[in-house]
Amino acid sequence: MKFYILKMNLYGIKNIDKEIELNFYRKTLQKKFDLDGYNVKAIYGANGSGKTAIIYAVEIYKKFVLDPDYISLHNKNGSLEKIVNQHTGKLKIEMTFVVLDEDNNVNAIYSHYVCFEKKDGRYVVEGES
């Protein structure tokens, strides 16, 4: 099975203090997923526009989903403190992705939301759905 991000909403990471939405697929989904010309090859923008924050968000999301100890480990080493926007004190990531079978047929579409918030000097999962 293959997974592709269709859309990502971000808030509170690095210098991003307002919610942004990134769409990675510009077509209506059909049963057969069209990979030609619609996969992201680059992210570009001015210095300070949030390119690195987007990459960090994908990395954080992946680690959070795959590692049940992610929050406790990153509270200990302070890495979340460096990544979460200090003005918001929260980091929200919502991913919508498609799951494809071996023939690139759409198997399922999922949306997953997670919000990290600083409470009592530590980051905790404030919400997840």
Side-chain angles (χ1 to χ4, degrees):
M1 294 213 164
K2 298 175 252 180
F3 298 84
Y4 288 90
I5 299 171
L6 298 175
K7 182 174 74 168
M8 179 169 58
N9 292 59
L10 296 175
Y11 167 79
I13 186 164
K14 303 285 278 174
N15 60 335
I16 299 174
D17 59 359
K18 294 183 172 88
E19 187 166 333
I20 63 168
E21 179 177 295
L22 301 159
N23 290 293
F24 295 107
Y25 193 74
R26 295 178 283 165
K27 292 176 107 179
T28 303
L29 283 176
Q30 305 294 323
K31 177 152 178 62
K32 187 81 162 175
F33 190 73
D34 178 16
L35 294 170
D36 293 331
Y38 289 95
N39 48 354
V40 174
K41 294 172 180 58
I43 298 173
Y44 66 94
N47 288 344
S49 63
K51 300 178 299 293
T52 303
I54 293 166
I55 302 303
Y56 281 144
V58 172
E59 182 180 340
I60 289 168
Y61 179 79
K62 178 182 172 187
K63 288 179 181 177
F64 173 75
V65 169
L66 296 177
D67 183 358
D69 296 324
Y70 176 78
I71 295 291
S72 61
L73 293 173
H74 290 274
N75 271 319
K76 284 182 185 174
N77 70 18
S79 62
L80 284 174
E81 190 70 39
K82 297 172 191 166
I83 294 171
V84 175
N85 183 288
Q86 296 304 301
H87 298 294
T88 65
K90 279 186 180 184
L91 166 58
K92 296 180 186 180
I93 304 171
E94 183 175 358
M95 296 282 198
T96 302
F97 54 95
V98 63
V99 181
L100 306 177
D101 66 15
E102 60 279 348
D103 296 320
N104 291 337
N105 293 313
V106 175
N107 193 2
I109 299 172
Y110 294 101
S111 185
H112 183 231
Y113 161 85
V114 65
C115 179
F116 306 103
E117 184 175 16
K118 191 172 188 176
K119 290 187 179 176
D120 300 323
R122 301 188 51 167
Y123 285 94
V124 296
V125 176
E126 185 264 335
E128 182 178 15
S129 64

